[in-house]
């Protein structure tokens, strides 16, 4: 008998329907995902990460006032023609890069009922295949291929795979938290339970869930039955918890423990730090910027 293999992951889902209230007034008319991190919008880094992991079919879950996201990944013929006439091939290539990255699809989350509900909106597009979810607030350095590793683990183990990062126990209340068991692979753990934003005294570990998931399609059946949880929203964590405690539903749940470079753009202070760190590491900007930054810190601070 020929052994069947799980379908290869080809699709990525990026929830982008949030209001971005922490960045008001900048996000009053501009989606938070379009805020620049140096000279690219944050959302482009996320799409580039999906493509680097081999996922060229990208579905973005959007909402009202998110049309600039679609425009960014579409062609802008007038701008391209103007740059071409000027002979500005470098900027022309940057403009065309975003429209050539992936096959982009969009669906609106009409009613903002939480991350779990946003993921459920992707069900008709995803179908019965495992798929990746990338949250736009977490930027993963391309030198640390977290998503590619998660896809590899899912193809080996089946089920679902969640990205985890060890945090200070006092910070665990800001995250979903995983109860884990060790496996034979140093960077992989078995997840036996999940708790959404527990108090430090109640947390089963200091392994925090960060914004990368590879999910078995059975998650949709669970989400359809999941009642609103913390904050009155349908929580993805609650649905994954059901997968973790009963692997007969959709296979086991594993975690990949990430120890690389992560930039959190969902908080104003961390957003500024992300810009500084990425600018310092740029070959075209880094040398001059680092010199200025050292002088500023020395003289002004």
């Amino acid at each position: 008998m020929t052994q069947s293999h799980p379908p290869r992951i080809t699709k990525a889902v990026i929830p982008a329907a949030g209001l971005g209230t922490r960045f008001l007034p900048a996000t009053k008319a501009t989606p938070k995902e379009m805020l620049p991190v140096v000279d690219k919008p944050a959302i482009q880094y996320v799409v580039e990460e999906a493509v680097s992991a081999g996922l060229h079919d990208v579905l973005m879950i959007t909402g009202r006032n998110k049309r600039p996201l679609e425009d960014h990944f579409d062609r802008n013929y007038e701008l391209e023609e103007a740059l071409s006439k000027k002979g500005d091939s470098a900027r022309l290539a940057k403009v065309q890069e975003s429209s050539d990255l992936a096959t982009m699809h969009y669906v609106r989350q009409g009613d903002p009922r939480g991350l779990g509900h946003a993921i459920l909106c992707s069900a008709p597009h995803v179908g019965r295949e495992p798929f990746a979810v990338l949250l736009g607030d977490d930027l993963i350095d391309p030198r640390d291929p977290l998503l590619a590793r998660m896809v590899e683990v899912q193809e080996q183990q089946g089920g679902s795979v969640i990205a985890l990062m060890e945090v200070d126990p006092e910070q665990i209340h800001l995250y979903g938290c995983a109860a884990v068991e060790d496996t034979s692979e140093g960077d992989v753990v078995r997840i036996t339970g999940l708790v959404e934003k527990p108090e430090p005294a109640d947390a089963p570990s200091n392994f925090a869930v960060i914004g990368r998931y590879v999910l078995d399609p059975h998650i949709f059946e669970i989400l359809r039955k999941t009642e609103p949880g913390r904050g009155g929203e349908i929580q993805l964590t609650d649905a994954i918890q059901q997968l973790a405690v009963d692997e007969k539903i959709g296979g086991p749940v594993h975690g990949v423990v990430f120890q690389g470079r992560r930039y959190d753009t969902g908080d104003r202070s961390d957003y500024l730090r992300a810009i500084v760190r990425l600018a310092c590491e740029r070959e075209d900007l880094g040398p001059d910027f680092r010199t200025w930054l050292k002088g500023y810190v020395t003289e002004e601070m």
Side-chain angles (χ1 to χ4, degrees):
M1 180 181 294
T2 303
Q3 185 176 3
S4 62
H5 295 278
R8 179 165 178 80
I9 300 168
T10 61
K11 296 175 180 177
V13 174
I14 302 177
L19 297 176
T21 52
R22 286 180 289 181
F23 282 85
L24 286 170
T27 51
K28 178 181 178 181
T30 301
K32 69 171 184 175
E33 296 84 6
M34 289 299 297
L35 295 179
V37 180
V38 188
D39 55 2
K40 285 193 297 189
I43 194 67
Q44 184 169 332
Y45 289 89
V46 180
V47 174
E48 288 173 349
E49 181 187 352
V51 171
S52 294
L55 313 182
H56 295 268
D57 185 325
V58 177
L59 174 67
M60 206 167 287
I61 312 298
T62 68
R64 293 187 61 190
N65 301 324
K66 299 286 185 169
R67 181 60 185 271
L69 292 170
E70 299 184 34
D71 291 340
H72 180 71
F73 292 101
D74 199 359
R75 299 292 297 272
N76 187 328
Y77 294 102
E78 294 83 358
L79 178 58
E80 291 178 27
E81 184 178 1
L83 293 172
S84 181
K85 287 181 178 178
K86 289 182 179 180
D88 195 341
S89 57
R91 287 189 174 87
L92 176 61
K94 289 183 178 180
V95 168
Q96 293 176 330
E97 182 182 15
S98 59
S99 57
D100 295 337
L101 268 176
T103 301
M104 301 296 298
H105 309 270
Y106 305 90
V107 64
R108 278 197 175 193
Q109 182 188 14
D111 189 10
R113 297 168 57 197
L115 177 58
H117 180 259
I119 301 306
L120 189 54
C121 292
S122 72
H125 180 78
V126 170
R128 302 300 301 170
E129 303 173 16
F131 63 105
V133 174
L134 299 87
L135 304 189
D137 287 347
D138 284 325
L139 303 189
I140 305 298
D141 194 293
R143 293 168 293 183
D144 301 311
L146 169 61
L147 186 60
R149 174 59 174 151
M150 294 172 66
V151 169
E152 178 183 45
V153 172
Q154 196 281 336
E155 290 176 345
Q156 293 171 349
Q157 304 290 345
S160 299
V161 181
I162 314 301
L164 302 176
M165 176 176 278
E166 289 191 82
V167 300
D168 188 303
E170 295 303 314
Q171 299 296 310
I172 197 65
H173 70 282
L174 301 173
Y175 300 88
C177 176
V180 303
E181 297 176 349
D182 291 337
T183 71
S184 59
E185 296 186 78
D187 65 333
V188 179
V189 293
R190 180 74 171 265
I191 295 178
T192 59
L194 289 167
V195 182
E196 181 67 20
K197 297 182 179 179
E199 292 301 319
D202 301 324
S205 74
N206 66 328
F207 283 106
V209 178
I210 60 175
R212 298 294 180 269
Y213 309 80
V214 177
L215 299 175
D216 182 273
H218 285 88
I219 195 74
F220 296 128
E221 299 173 18
I222 297 174
L223 285 170
R224 291 186 184 100
K225 302 174 184 177
T226 299
E227 295 294 326
R230 189 183 181 95
E233 298 181 335
I234 298 175
Q235 298 290 346
L236 179 61
T237 303
D238 293 343
I240 299 174
Q241 158 72 4
Q242 294 191 44
L243 291 177
V245 298
D246 186 0
E247 68 176 64
K248 291 182 292 185
I249 298 175
V253 179
H254 287 88
V256 170
V257 181
F258 182 60
Q259 297 179 330
R261 288 154 286 203
R262 167 179 172 259
Y263 311 106
D264 184 356
T265 62
D267 173 82
R268 289 175 298 174
S269 294
D270 285 338
Y271 171 74
L272 293 174
R273 282 190 280 268
I275 292 174
V276 171
R277 290 174 64 181
L278 288 169
C280 284
E281 295 177 1
R282 286 269 294 262
E283 292 183 3
D284 57 338
L285 298 174
D288 288 342
F289 184 67
R290 288 194 299 269
T291 299
W292 173 84
L293 188 60
K294 289 176 183 177
Y296 175 74
V297 171
T298 301
E299 297 170 11
E300 303 292 337
M301 305 299 287

